C-alpha cells in the first residue's frame, strides 16, 4: 500500500518547508516497528496532525479521515483533497450506520498488508487542546485483529494550526511515540475477554490515559463531539467538561 506521492510530500513539496518553519521534534520514534502491521492511535489537535506525524514517521502510514476533508469547496478544499488523497488517506463518512463497518474493512485491509493504520480515537479535533473520551473503534480493530497499538501524542500542533486557520503558524511541534501495546496480552493480564464490549471500552480508556500522560494534557471523560455541539448551540461546556470548574 505504497504511494509515490508520499515520498514527494515528505522530501520535496511540503516536508522541507515544515521542518524549517515548525522545527518539529520527536521522541520515541524507535517504538515504530521497522516492518509489520500496527495501529497508530493519536490525539487530535489540528488538521496538521496528519501532516506533522507522517513527516516524522520513518514509515508510510494510512490514516482514516473525515469525508469533509475531501469535499470542501474552493481552493483550500481542492488542496486538502489532493493532499489527503496523495498520501493515501481514506475518507470515512462519520455519523452514518455504515461508518463503523467501513472503518473495520479499511483497517483490516491495511493491517493485513503489513502496514501502519492511523486513527484518532477522539473522533474529532479537541476543541481546547485537552484529551477527550475516546471512541471505541480503535480498540475494536485492535481486539479483532490482535495488532499492536502504538500511542502517539501530538504536542502544540493546535498552536501551530488552531481550528479555523489554514496556514500554519511558526510554532514548534512535537511528536511523542509510546511503546506498542498488544491488546490481547493487555486483556489477558487483566483477566478480560478481548471479545467483550466492556474490554473494548476499558482498553480505549487505557490508551486515552496514555495519551494524556504523554502530552501533559488533562483528560476529559466527555466526547469532544458533544462538547463542540454544546458550544456551537451557545450552551457552553456540558457538565463534566468545563475547564473552569475542573
Amino acid at each position: 500500500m505504497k504511494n509515490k506521492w508520499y515520498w514527494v510530500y515528505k522530501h520535496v513539496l511540503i516536508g522541507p518547508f515544515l521542518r524549517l518553519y515548525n522545527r518539529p521534534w520527536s521522541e520515541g520514534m524507535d517504538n515504530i516497528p521497522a516492518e509489520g502491521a500496527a495501529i497508530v492511535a493519536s490525539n487530535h489537535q489540528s488538521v496538521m496532525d496528519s501532516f506533522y506525524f507522517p513527516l516524522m514517521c520513518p514509515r508510510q502510514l494510512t490514516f482514516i479521515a473525515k469525508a469533509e476533508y475531501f469535499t470542501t469547496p474552493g481552493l483550500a478544499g481542492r488542496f486538502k483533497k489532493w493532499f489527503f488523497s496523495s498520501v493515501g488517506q481514506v475518507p470515512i463518512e462519520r455519523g452514518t450506520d455504515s461508518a463503523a463497518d467501513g472503518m473495520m474493512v479499511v483497517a483490516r485491509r491495511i493491517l493485513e498488508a503489513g502496514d501502519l493504520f492511523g486513527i484518532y480515537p477522539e473522533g474529532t479535533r479537541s476543541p481546547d487542546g485537552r484529551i477527550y473520551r475516546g471512541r471505541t473503534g480503535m480498540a475494536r480493530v485492535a481486539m479483532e485483529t490482535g495488532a499492536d497499538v502504538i500511542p502517539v501524542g501530538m504536542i502544540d500542533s493546535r498552536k501551530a494550526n488552531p481550528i479555523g486557520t489554514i496556514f500554519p503558524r511558526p510554532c514548534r511541534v512535537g511528536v511523542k511515540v509510546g511503546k506498542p501495546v498488544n491488546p490481547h496480552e493487555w486483556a489477558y493480564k487483566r483477566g478480560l475477554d478481548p471479545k467483550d464490549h466492556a474490554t473494548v471500552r476499558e482498553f480505549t480508556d487505557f490508551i486515552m490515559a496514555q495519551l494524556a500522560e504523554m502530552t501533559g494534557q488533562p483528560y476529559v471523560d466527555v466526547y469532544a463531539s458533544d462538547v463542540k455541539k454544546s458550544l456551537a448551540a451557545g450552551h457552553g461546556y456540558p457538565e463534566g467538561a468545563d475547564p473552569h470548574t475542573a
Side-chain angles (χ1 to χ4, degrees):
M1 194 173 291
K2 302 301 183 286
N3 189 307
K4 65 180 181 180
W5 280 108
Y6 204 90
W7 187 93
V8 175
Y9 150 71
K10 289 185 67 169
H11 301 288
V12 180
L13 292 180
I14 302 176
F17 167 74
L18 291 180
R19 287 185 182 276
L20 289 173
Y21 190 70
N22 292 115
R23 296 173 295 137
W25 57 270
S26 65
E27 178 182 304
M29 202 60 73
D30 56 343
N31 288 320
I32 300 290
E35 58 183 17
I39 299 166
V40 175
S42 172
N43 63 316
H44 201 8
Q45 298 282 297
S46 73
V47 172
M48 293 294 289
D49 291 333
S50 295
F51 289 56
Y52 294 121
F53 183 67
L55 175 64
M56 303 301 288
C57 184
R59 289 178 59 189
Q60 180 175 332
L61 72 162
T62 300
F63 271 100
I64 56 171
K66 64 179 182 179
E68 294 94 305
Y69 288 163
F70 297 79
T71 58
T72 303
L75 181 62
R78 289 197 295 274
F79 174 76
K80 282 184 181 180
K81 181 179 179 179
W82 169 82
F83 169 76
F84 286 111
S85 298
S86 68
V87 295
Q89 308 305 283
V90 180
I92 295 290
E93 286 283 355
R94 299 184 304 180
T96 64
D97 293 338
S98 60
D101 291 338
M103 181 200 68
M104 185 62 68
V105 170
V106 170
R108 281 188 176 279
R109 185 174 73 240
I110 294 168
L111 295 171
E112 287 173 359
D115 294 330
L116 299 178
F117 171 67
I119 187 170
Y120 299 115
E122 290 164 291
T124 186
R125 287 170 288 172
S126 169
D128 51 29
R130 295 181 294 169
I131 305 297
Y132 280 83
R133 181 176 173 85
R135 302 284 180 176
T136 58
M138 172 275 300
R140 281 187 56 225
V141 173
M143 291 298 170
E144 291 192 22
T145 64
D148 285 356
V149 175
I150 303 171
V152 172
M154 299 301 301
I155 312 292
D156 290 333
S157 58
R158 181 173 179 269
K159 292 181 180 179
N161 178 217
I163 293 177
T165 64
I166 298 176
F167 196 80
R169 298 175 180 179
C171 169
R172 290 206 75 184
V173 173
V175 182
K176 287 187 178 181
V177 182
K179 292 186 178 299
V181 180
N182 183 273
H184 291 174
E185 290 181 4
W186 178 92
Y188 294 143
K189 285 181 179 179
R190 290 161 176 77
L192 302 174
D193 184 347
K195 297 180 181 179
D196 286 349
H197 177 73
T199 302
V200 170
R201 178 72 261 171
E202 192 168 336
F203 186 69
T204 302
D205 295 341
F206 170 78
I207 293 296
M208 300 315 294
Q210 294 281 98
L211 295 178
E213 181 178 350
M214 291 167 61
T215 61
Q217 291 288 348
Y219 174 73
V220 184
D221 195 23
V222 178
Y223 291 120
S225 57
D226 291 342
V227 172
K228 287 184 174 181
K229 288 178 183 177
S230 182
L231 292 174
H235 299 150
Y237 279 90
E239 184 177 355
D242 191 336
H244 302 102
T245 60

